[in-house]
Amino acid sequence: MSSSLAEIPLGRPVRVSRVDGPRAFRRRLVEMGLVPGTEVKGVTVAPFGDALRIEIRGGQWSIGRNEAAQIAVDV
């Protein structure tokens, strides 16, 4: 089952299936290690819900909801 990173429940590990969006956005994420097959887990949501903190490869990132919606994951 596929959905976007913005829609996953917190604490549930998922795998990235593809990254959409502008070329510069996709390139930046690939350079940081977010490539298809990578395991990602939602950790927390910002108080007003506009940002999501994710855990990836032992580190934590903060990513906007609009950006997270462009990352497809397999649940």
Side-chain angles (χ1 to χ4, degrees):
M1 182 174 157
S2 184
S3 78
S4 77
L5 186 58
E7 301 168 343
I8 64 167
L10 296 178
R12 184 173 186 182
V14 295
R15 291 212 179 267
V16 174
S17 60
R18 76 173 189 280
V19 179
D20 296 327
R23 184 177 182 196
F25 170 70
R26 292 190 323 259
R27 184 176 176 188
R28 181 179 53 162
L29 293 181
V30 166
E31 287 173 350
M32 292 172 38
L34 189 80
V35 295
T38 305
E39 189 173 285
V40 178
K41 180 171 64 171
V43 179
T44 60
V45 177
F48 294 107
D50 58 344
L52 174 68
R53 186 182 311 166
I54 60 173
E55 186 174 288
I56 176 170
R57 298 182 187 240
Q60 292 191 359
W61 299 1
S62 184
I63 188 168
R65 283 273 182 191
N66 292 336
E67 293 171 332
Q70 297 178 45
I71 302 169
V73 296
D74 292 324
V75 180

